[in-house]
């Protein structure tokens, strides 16, 4: 057995550390604020985000008013968001992230009193955030091969009209990790694992239809990946006949 640095057990596995490094690099990228100046993309308080897989397929859409950095990291570093805990979203499946920040809402916070100008501003900000999420979600559904993403719930209907603001999209996977995770057989195995976990969650709890929809979507994704891999390797022509390997 090769010698191992005794201190190495104090550090996360390579793929885990790699994701955290690339995610931090993405969240620290400068974004040109329409009002002037720049801000790190992860430091915007209000915004919508979307995750994409290794085929560019949209897989999850979310929103936040606590800070984009906090919410996205919570998803992708297994800090127990509902989506990850329920095996709805698999961080291993995320290749790219796109973010739509709302700079004009940066100073809006939920007031203690549910009345007055500050409360009205809060409600207007929530309406704007919901409207943006709905636009991004609908576009993701339209662009999806399966006309579905892995969200357990649909976003609320927009109460206001909105022109989507500028966004930023970038890869959060290094070439080294891409070489591992992008292999079709690895992806098939990972999808089957997540489906098994999700099916187990469903079997043990009283769940709503949204979680069952996610299971169906994941099953469709697995079938599509498996069929594409099978056909790429020759399809029916690659299947052996009985006796082909027997001695004559």
């Amino acid at each position: 057995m090769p010698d191992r640095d005794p201190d190495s057990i104090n550090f996360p596995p390579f793929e885990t550390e790699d994701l955290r490094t690339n995610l931090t690099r993405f969240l620290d990228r400068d974004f040109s604020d329409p009002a002037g100046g720049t801000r790190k993309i992860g430091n915007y308080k209000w915004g919508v985000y979307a995750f994409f897989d290794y085929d560019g397929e949209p897989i999850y859409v979310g929103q936040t008013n606590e800070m984009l950095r906090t919410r996205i990291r919570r998803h992708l570093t297994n800090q127990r968001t509902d989506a990850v805990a329920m095996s709805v979203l698999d961080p291993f499946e995320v290749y790219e992230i796109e973010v739509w920040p709302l700079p004009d809402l940066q100073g809006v916070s939920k007031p203690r009193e549910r009345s007055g100008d500050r409360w009205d501003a809060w409600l207007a900000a929530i309406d704007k955030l919901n409207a943006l999420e709905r636009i991004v979600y609908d576009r993701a559904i339209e662009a999806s091969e399966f006309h579905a993403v892995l969200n357990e719930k649909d976003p609320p209907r927009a109460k206001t009209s909105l022109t989507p603001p500028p966004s930023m999209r970038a890869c959060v996977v290094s070439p080294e990790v891409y070489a591992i995770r992008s292999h079709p057989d690895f992806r098939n195995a990972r999808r089957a694992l997540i489906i098994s976990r999700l099916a187990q969650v469903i079997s043990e709890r009283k769940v709503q239809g949204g979680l069952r929809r996610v299971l169906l979507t994941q099953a469709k994704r697995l079938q599509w990946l498996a069929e594409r891999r099978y056909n790429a390797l020759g399809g029916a022509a690659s299947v052996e006949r009985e006796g082909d390997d027997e001695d004559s």
Side-chain angles (χ1 to χ4, degrees):
M1 178 180 295
D3 293 336
R4 185 174 68 174
D5 181 354
D7 291 333
S8 65
I9 60 173
N10 296 322
F11 296 94
F14 162 70
E15 290 183 63
T16 301
E17 188 63 26
D18 185 87
L19 173 60
R20 291 178 178 176
T21 298
N22 284 283
L23 183 57
T24 298
R25 185 176 293 118
F26 169 73
L27 295 171
D28 283 345
R29 291 180 64 174
D30 287 334
F31 185 82
S32 296
D33 196 312
T38 61
R39 185 189 301 269
K40 292 181 178 180
I41 191 69
N43 290 351
Y44 283 96
K45 185 177 178 182
W46 296 72
V48 171
Y49 53 91
F51 299 144
F52 300 83
D53 72 4
Y54 286 76
D55 294 303
E57 177 78 16
I59 54 176
Y60 192 86
V61 175
Q63 60 154 272
T64 184
N65 58 45
E66 59 176 336
M67 188 175 285
L68 284 164
R69 179 184 305 275
T70 301
R71 187 61 178 162
I72 292 173
R73 285 185 62 86
R74 200 175 286 160
H75 273 304
L76 299 186
T77 57
N78 274 321
Q79 295 176 13
R80 301 304 290 179
T81 64
D82 289 343
V84 173
M86 300 284 279
S87 294
V88 168
L89 177 67
D90 177 14
F92 275 38
E93 197 173 6
V94 177
Y95 179 69
E96 291 179 302
I97 302 174
E98 187 167 5
V99 173
W100 293 259
L102 291 168
D104 57 311
L105 302 183
Q106 192 69 11
V108 179
S109 299
K110 188 175 182 178
R112 293 183 179 180
E113 298 294 330
R114 298 196 171 199
S115 61
D117 292 343
R118 290 188 62 196
W119 180 249
D120 290 342
W122 168 260
L123 294 180
I126 292 294
D127 285 344
K128 187 172 184 178
L129 182 64
N130 287 341
L132 177 58
E133 183 186 20
R134 188 76 213 192
I135 291 172
V136 174
Y137 180 86
D138 288 345
R139 287 181 177 180
I141 296 295
E142 184 178 355
S144 168
E145 176 78 20
F146 318 99
H147 299 294
V149 290
L150 301 177
N151 289 61
E152 183 182 351
K153 298 179 180 179
D154 293 334
R157 292 291 177 183
K159 296 181 180 179
T160 184
S161 60
L162 176 72
T163 299
S167 67
M168 176 182 286
R169 179 168 172 170
C171 174
V172 291
V173 175
S174 70
E176 292 80 9
V177 170
Y178 177 85
I180 300 170
R181 293 185 181 172
S182 65
H183 192 284
D185 291 337
F186 177 91
R187 294 186 67 197
N188 280 327
R190 187 73 188 185
R191 294 284 57 70
L193 174 64
I194 294 301
I195 288 172
S196 175
R197 290 176 178 172
L198 181 56
Q200 186 69 28
V201 168
I202 291 173
S203 73
E204 294 174 348
R205 307 185 187 189
K206 183 177 180 180
V207 300
Q208 302 298 319
L211 206 57
R212 296 184 185 278
R213 182 180 65 181
V214 172
L215 178 63
L216 177 60
T217 302
Q218 286 284 30
K220 289 179 179 179
R221 292 171 56 79
L222 174 59
Q223 181 181 8
W224 182 73
L225 288 168
E227 184 174 10
R228 189 172 62 171
R229 178 62 166 162
Y230 171 65
N231 289 333
L233 295 177
S238 68
V239 179
E240 306 87 346
R241 292 186 178 87
E242 290 187 17
D244 283 354
D245 295 331
E246 295 179 2
D247 293 332
S248 56

